Amino acid sequence: MSETDVLHIAQMAIMITFKLSAPILIVSLVIGVVISLFQAVTSVQEMTLSFVPKLAGIAIVIVMSGSWMLQQLTGFATELFTMIPRLVNGG
């Protein structure tokens, strides 16, 4: 296994991490900004007001994109397992 192989695997792992976490983080960010604007306009400073909508939004995103996330993970794992013979043999 060469350095380029290790770097390629690390790059693939980072990219799959970004692809899987992006929908959840974007939804959480958007909901957080909207709730913060609402709290600033109405002067309501309740902590659960921001937590519960974020939790619901994240749950909806996971339900809607869960199968896509699972396909991405299984594709990544399959690619890693198919690379094993080439990495062990060195070519």
Side-chain angles (χ1 to χ4, degrees), residues 7-25 65-80:
L7 290 175
H8 179 67
I9 292 171
Q11 180 185 13
M12 288 182 353
I14 290 171
M15 287 306 296
I16 194 76
T17 302
F18 286 152
K19 283 173 34 175
L20 294 181
S21 64
I24 294 171
L25 292 175
S65 64
S67 63
W68 172 78
M69 290 179 179
L70 187 60
Q71 287 175 353
Q72 294 293 314
L73 278 175
T74 54
F76 175 68
T78 303
E79 190 172 347
L80 283 179

Side-chain angles (χ1 to χ4, degrees), residues 19-49:
K19 283 173 34 175
L20 294 181
S21 64
I24 294 171
L25 292 175
I26 290 170
V27 166
S28 179
L29 175 72
V30 169
I31 292 173
V33 168
V34 169
I35 296 296
S36 295
L37 286 174
F38 175 75
Q39 286 180 330
V41 169
T42 61
S43 298
V44 175
Q45 297 300 323
E46 181 65 34
M47 292 302 294
T48 58
L49 186 63

